Amino acid sequence: MAKRLFDLFGATLALLLLSPVLLAAALAVKLDTPGPVFFRQVRIGRGGVPFRIHKFRTMHHDAGGPPLTVGNDPRITRAGAFLRRTRIDELPQFIDVLLGRMSLVGPRPEVPRYVAQYPAALRERVLAVRPGITDPATLAFIDEAALLERATDPERAYVELILPAKLQQAADYAERASLRTDIGVLWRTAALLLQRG
């Protein structure tokens, strides 16, 4: 209950304080290329329940292609490159937090294609909590797209190397999660984004 109240307070405050950034990002997406402002994609939430995540659109509309983004992906728009680098594209997920589909901190929600490959033991632990906007695995793999760009087969590298490491960190987080650890992850996330900005 305390975590949910913390999420509601934090998401509401973030949406209010960041409203100028959200409006500017929406305008940039709309003016840059034709298509909707938001990108919505099915992800798997707590208990294995699917939901549609909110992000600012960073690719050309109906670009298609694999679910992974690798380095300088040609599908990414000019505005999208900036939004991705600064992680502003993730800010609409505060809406998902208000709706109860996500938490401020929790394992990042994956697409069904990759959740189907979770080992049974880890799947149960990771999906026992609400997915989050950020978590320790997100911080550890902040440059995931660049790592995949150097791989001969990016999807294989993701499934065989990156995903297992992220899953283990997500499972560890789910077992020891508390308000104190969440505040620490949020602080580290903010500090890292400020350094990268």
Side-chain angles (χ1 to χ4, degrees), residues 49-62:
V49 177
F51 72 99
R52 294 182 76 84
I53 198 170
H54 288 80
K55 291 187 176 189
F56 283 121
R57 179 175 59 84
T58 60
M59 293 187 177
H60 293 281
H61 186 47
D62 294 329

Side-chain angles (χ1 to χ4, degrees), residues 24-150:
L27 186 61
V29 171
K30 199 65 182 173
L31 294 177
D32 189 37
T33 55
V37 168
F38 293 113
F39 168 73
R40 301 187 69 205
Q41 183 184 52
V42 174
R43 300 290 179 97
I44 302 301
R46 184 169 65 170
V49 177
F51 72 99
R52 294 182 76 84
I53 198 170
H54 288 80
K55 291 187 176 189
F56 283 121
R57 179 175 59 84
T58 60
M59 293 187 177
H60 293 281
H61 186 47
D62 294 329
L68 288 176
T69 306
V70 180
N72 296 316
D73 194 310
R75 297 173 296 171
I76 299 173
T77 64
R78 288 172 301 173
F82 173 77
L83 296 178
R84 281 175 173 265
R85 187 174 68 252
T86 56
R87 300 299 169 119
I88 291 173
D89 64 315
E90 308 280 359
L91 295 182
Q93 287 162 46
F94 287 117
I95 297 169
D96 295 311
V97 175
L98 291 181
L99 293 173
R101 298 167 183 161
M102 292 181 66
S103 181
L104 295 177
V105 181
R108 285 295 295 165
E110 274 286 5
V111 295
R113 173 177 179 168
Y114 296 132
V115 173
Q117 301 185 52
Y118 285 9
L122 288 179
R123 176 191 173 98
E124 184 176 343
R125 289 159 63 191
V126 171
L127 297 183
V129 297
R130 279 191 185 93
I133 296 176
T134 185
D135 73 325
T138 300
L139 300 178
F141 290 94
I142 194 77
D143 292 316
E144 180 181 301
L147 291 173
L148 292 173
E149 187 177 29
R150 296 194 289 269

